[in-house]
Amino acid sequence: MRFTVVTILPELIEPALAAGVVGRAREAGAITVDTVNPRDFTSDRHRSVDDTPYGGGPGMVMKPEPLLAVIAHAARPQPASAELAAGQAQTAAETAALAPHRILMTPAGALLTQARVRELAALPHVVLVCGRYEGVDERVIELAIDEQLSIGDYVLSGGELAALVVIDAVARFVPGVLGEASSVDDESHSAGLLEYPQYTRPLKLAAPDGERAVPEILTSGNHAAIAAWRRRQAIARTGQRRPDLLARFRPAAADRKLLPPPLHARTHLALVHHPVVDRTGAVVTTSLTNFDIHDLARSSLTYGLAGYHIVTPVASQRDKAEHIARLWLEDAGGEHRARALELVRTAASVDAVIAEIAASHGAAPLVVATSARGDAFPGVARRSAPELVAEAGLDPAPLLILLGTGWGLADVLLPSVSRVLAPIDGAADWNHLSVRSAGAIVLDRLFGR
Ligand code: ADE
């Protein structure tokens, strides 16, 4: 595979590619890297490659003429073989297949991914154009660039380091560059996950806080158990560090066996009537709302929850809730609704719900408060919905989501609460969603496909 780097600073490129895997790949002829300099394609005395931007503004812009000329030179068709070099005609398809792929390295490009790296490694010739200054004249991009790539959401002083990153990442996929074919399959990003943790000798490492031992499983000699442990670790650290990647990850059937049951099936919703606050901030007990029983039960079943708990210390209110749920359950024309109402339970307090869930699941739930206020439950860890899913999805414990009636959950619940979900932020300043609506939105953010 061939790389041509278009740069006004060729001295940045060559030394970085002389050693290591890429250096050896060049020596072995698996890849070739050459550089071409736009300054060699200028016609003025100063060999200038930049000019001031039309419309004003800071900095300089790379001029189109030298760049277009140097890219055309870098991308000139290469004969496919010695015979073709000797003068045989190439078909149009052969010429197209050999046409170099011209990439501009720019922070305004699409983010480079391992999937794209793999695809680029299948190309015969990649031309990497390194921008400098404030960027390049847009017409160069229109006329002579096939793709724009960024290596991350930060700005380098030029595209050279980014081009080196592309060469290094792509070369590793070129046949013959890495020794073992499997080494690219196991590493981070190859299957949409981060890599599992690795250990080598010594078995026990002295550390300031004691001794750090290698996880026992790795010395067990049980290869299937080691493979399962590694996969679980890879999934867990992807969830902790890159919830965005985990959200896109589609577990295979074998992965599902390694993971706890789906989070929604371990999640309970509690509609809390006490302790909640009124408009003055006083802690009060609100009364039951018929719609809440029915509508949140339907939302709970739609998102596959394990239970829906109506919490009130007033015994007659609990009786009323059970009576209403039963009426709907027994409604002959509404079997579909009956399934939802079967999820309804009542409890005298949040602690009673926690105890009931702990008893039925064999583990205490992670208790998550919701609030319309950004400053509710001070000191408790805040989570966005994807962060909570990533965290709780890998931990087999059940999840309890608290919804407050009235003006919201009272801070006196603080000792029972482990996480607070970020408030729902609508498009307007007015923020008084009904608890039924808020509950449905929260469930969709957590579990909606
Ligand atoms: N040039 C400057 N910053 C860059 C980045 N983040 N990626 C690619 N090229 C760049």
Side-chain angles (χ1 to χ4, degrees):
M1 176 173 188
R2 179 168 172 225
F3 296 93
T4 303
V5 185
V6 174
T7 172
I8 57 167
L9 294 174
E11 60 273 31
L12 269 183
I13 301 294
E14 186 51 43
L17 300 175
V21 168
V22 173
R24 285 197 299 279
R26 292 176 77 188
E27 260 169 40
I31 62 165
T32 64
V33 184
D34 48 281
T35 58
V36 279
N37 192 335
R39 287 203 199 282
D40 296 335
F41 293 79
T42 51
S43 45
D44 63 319
R45 206 156 48 90
H46 301 291
R47 305 193 344 131
S48 51
V49 290
D50 60 330
D51 206 340
T52 52
Y54 274 115
M60 303 290 272
V61 174
M62 289 187 88
K63 284 156 64 78
E65 301 91 333
L67 265 186
L68 287 170
V70 71
I71 295 169
H73 173 81
R76 69 198 180 288
Q78 300 288 304
S81 64
E83 298 86 65
L84 290 170
Q88 278 186 20
Q90 266 175 249
T91 65
E94 277 168 342
T95 311
L98 292 171
H101 186 65
R102 301 158 301 177
I103 301 175
L104 175 68
M105 300 312 306
T106 162
L111 210 54
L112 182 67
T113 61
Q114 189 75 334
R116 188 63 192 135
V117 162
R118 229 179 241 269
E119 289 166 359
L120 292 176
L123 301 174
H125 184 192
V126 169
V127 175
L128 297 161
V129 180
C130 304
R132 282 256 144 200
Y133 314 112
E134 288 307 307
V136 308
D137 187 291
E138 190 65 22
R139 292 161 296 182
V140 175
I141 298 169
E142 290 162 12
L143 294 169
I145 293 296
D146 302 307
E147 179 175 12
Q148 300 178 67
L149 281 181
S150 164
I151 61 161
D153 292 340
Y154 40 80
V155 180
L156 304 166
S157 50
E160 284 76 9
L161 293 180
L164 289 170
V165 166
V166 172
I167 294 170
D168 190 289
V170 171
R172 302 174 71 254
F173 283 96
V174 174
V177 170
L178 286 188
E180 242 188 84
S182 69
S183 47
V184 281
D185 291 333
D186 259 13
E187 61 196 12
S188 291
H189 298 294
S190 58
L193 294 175
L194 304 184
E195 194 185 3
Y196 50 80
Q198 294 276 22
Y199 297 86
T200 184
R201 273 187 282 262
L203 192 59
K204 290 183 176 156
L205 183 72
D209 58 352
E211 209 177 47
R212 299 285 171 108
V214 172
E216 246 168 62
I217 182 103
L218 297 178
T219 55
S220 67
N222 181 340
H223 296 299
I226 292 173
W229 179 85
R230 286 180 163 165
R231 188 75 176 166
R232 237 188 333 259
Q233 290 287 322
I235 294 171
R237 46 163 61 180
T238 306
Q240 284 151 6
R241 297 179 197 170
R242 295 289 304 274
D244 57 316
L245 287 183
L246 195 68
R248 273 178 268 141
F249 174 65
R250 291 284 156 264
D255 291 325
R256 277 190 218 109
K257 286 196 206 117
L258 302 174
L259 296 170
L263 183 59
H264 63 80
R266 298 180 269 133
T267 295
H268 293 248
L269 196 65
L271 181 69
V272 180
H273 295 85
H274 178 88
V276 292
V277 292
D278 68 7
R279 69 180 67 225
T280 70
V283 177
V284 295
T285 302
T286 54
S287 58
L288 209 62
T289 303
N290 195 343
F291 282 135
D292 291 342
I293 305 169
H294 177 269
D295 289 8
L296 280 167
R298 292 172 69 155
S299 296
S300 298
L301 185 63
T302 302
Y303 291 92
L305 303 202
Y308 168 39
H309 306 254
I310 293 170
V311 181
T312 170
V314 182
S316 61
Q317 292 270 290
R318 291 199 298 279
D319 291 347
K320 195 174 277 177
E322 279 163 24
H323 175 72
I324 292 167
R326 223 175 11 252
L327 284 180
W328 288 114
L329 262 169
E330 288 162 5
D331 173 19
E335 305 94 72
H336 64 291
R337 199 165 31 210
R339 276 185 58 207
L341 271 300
E342 275 169 18
L343 291 173
V344 174
R345 296 159 188 43
T346 59
S349 66
V350 170
D351 280 348
V353 177
I354 294 173
E356 189 188 326
I357 294 173
S360 63
H361 288 262
L366 181 78
V367 180
V368 181
T370 57
S371 176
R373 289 181 292 121
D375 60 354
F377 298 102
V380 176
R382 248 132 256 281
R383 295 283 183 269
S384 67
E387 284 167 352
L388 181 65
V389 169
E391 181 182 9
L394 298 164
D395 179 343
L399 185 71
L400 172 61
I401 299 168
L402 305 180
L403 295 173
T405 56
W407 286 64
L409 296 168
D411 279 352
V412 291
L413 280 169
L414 206 139
S416 310
V417 170
S418 327
R419 304 283 183 272
V420 189
L421 211 50
I424 295 165
D425 202 2
D429 293 337
W430 198 85
N431 188 2
H432 297 282
L433 282 169
S434 72
V435 73
R436 298 181 294 285
S437 304
I441 292 168
V442 163
L443 292 184
D444 193 66
R445 287 186 176 174
L446 292 171
F447 306 123
R449 287 197 284 243

